[in-house]
């Protein structure tokens, strides 16, 4: 047992012996804890994220891949933002905001020790900033485009994070990262 609170999982995590993770008992314990406590919550987060990605793809397709409109002087006209899709995008960001906000409150300064949490903060803040830019700056303005590009890159990294929860993808994602 570990010296800090007698927690078996802390003792295993702090062990220098990596062979311990190959034992059937430890594999079963980790699988049990995953299936009992974490799987449903992470799957729900993955569903919300995939919804976000699909809606973002729909928005990009509608705004950036449609034919360009020009005024009489030949200047390209910004298409109006799709308010319905932007509201759905904002709604999809509520769950990560609540989840990471709760995690931040519970962990305090330790929250910042995990690099994935920085990605989460960037994902949430840039997601809302993207919606703001689409509404206030214009859909094809440089600031909106750059923000959208960064949002897409962060979404890709978050998608890799959620792919790790599926065992068959875990090794592939680890190699990519």
């Amino acid at each position: 047992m570990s010296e800090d609170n007698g927690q078996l999982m802390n003792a295993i995590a702090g062990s220098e012996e990596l062979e311990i993770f190959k034992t059937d008992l430890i594999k079963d314990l980790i699988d049990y804890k995953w299936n009992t406590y974490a799987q449903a919550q992470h799957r729900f987060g993955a569903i919300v994220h995939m919804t976000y990605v699909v809606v973002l793809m729909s928005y990009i397709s509608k705004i950036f891949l449609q034919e360009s409109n020009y005024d009489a002087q030949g200047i390209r006209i910004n298409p109006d933002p799709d308010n319905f899709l932007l509201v759905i995008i904002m709604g999809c960001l509520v769950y990560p905001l609540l989840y990471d906000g709760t995690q931040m409150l519970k962990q305090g300064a330790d929250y910042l020790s995990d690099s994935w949490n920085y990605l989460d903060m960037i994902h949430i803040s840039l997601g809302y900033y993207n919606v703001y830019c689409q509404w206030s700056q214009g859909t094809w303005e440089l600031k909106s485009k750059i923000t959208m590009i960064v949002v897409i890159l962060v979404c890709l990294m978050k998608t890799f994070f959620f792919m790790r929860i599926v065992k068959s993808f875990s090794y592939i994602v680890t190699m990519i990262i």
Side-chain angles (χ1 to χ4, degrees), residues 56 60 147-157:
L56 190 62
I60 290 168
T147 304
M148 183 66 79
I149 290 168
V150 176
V151 164
I152 292 167
L153 292 173
V154 171
C155 274
L156 183 62
M157 288 187 272

Side-chain angles (χ1 to χ4, degrees), residues 14 17 21 23 27 32 35 55 64 71 76 83 87 101-102 105 127 131 152 155 164-165 169 173:
E17 300 293 326
F21 292 101
T23 63
K27 285 181 186 177
Y32 170 77
N35 292 332
V55 173
F64 295 100
D71 65 8
R76 186 174 56 193
N83 293 329
V87 168
T102 303
L105 289 174
V131 171
I152 292 167
C155 274
R164 290 187 329 180
I165 66 174
F169 290 141
V173 172

Side-chain angles (χ1 to χ4, degrees), residues 9-158:
M9 292 303 284
N10 288 339
I12 295 168
S15 173
E16 297 287 328
E17 300 293 326
L18 295 179
E19 293 295 317
I20 196 169
F21 292 101
K22 294 181 180 177
T23 63
D24 289 337
L25 177 67
I26 301 303
K27 285 181 186 177
D28 290 344
L29 178 64
I30 292 171
D31 286 342
Y32 170 77
K33 287 199 172 262
W34 168 254
N35 292 332
T36 305
Y37 301 111
Q39 184 179 30
Q41 188 169 5
H42 284 288
R43 292 217 187 270
F44 180 75
I47 290 169
V48 170
H49 177 71
M50 290 305 144
T51 303
Y52 178 82
V53 169
V54 167
V55 173
L56 190 62
M57 287 179 1
S58 300
Y59 184 83
I60 290 168
S61 176
K62 183 172 184 179
I63 300 300
F64 295 100
L65 301 179
Q66 70 180 0
E67 274 193 44
S68 301
N69 294 323
Y70 296 91
D71 65 8
Q73 289 83 24
I75 299 172
R76 186 174 56 193
I77 301 171
N78 277 345
D80 291 331
D82 186 325
N83 293 329
F84 178 71
L85 292 177
L86 288 175
V87 168
I88 294 173
I89 287 171
M90 286 184 3
C92 289
L93 289 170
V94 169
Y95 177 75
L97 178 65
L98 293 174
Y99 180 83
D100 284 297
T102 303
Q103 192 177 8
M104 188 183 300
L105 289 174
K106 287 183 178 180
Q107 292 180 357
D110 289 339
Y111 177 81
L112 299 174
S113 65
D114 185 4
S115 59
W116 281 105
N117 291 335
Y118 288 101
L119 182 69
D120 293 336
M121 291 188 302
I122 291 169
H123 168 68
I124 295 164
S125 57
L126 274 181
Y128 282 117
Y129 184 69
N130 178 43
V131 171
Y132 167 77
C133 284
Q134 296 296 315
W135 274 332
S136 67
Q137 305 292 317
T139 54
W140 283 1
E141 297 304 317
L142 183 61
K143 186 187 263 185
S144 297
K145 288 179 180 180
I146 291 172
T147 304
M148 183 66 79
I149 290 168
V150 176
V151 164
I152 292 167
L153 292 173
V154 171
C155 274
L156 183 62
M157 288 187 272
K158 284 287 291 181

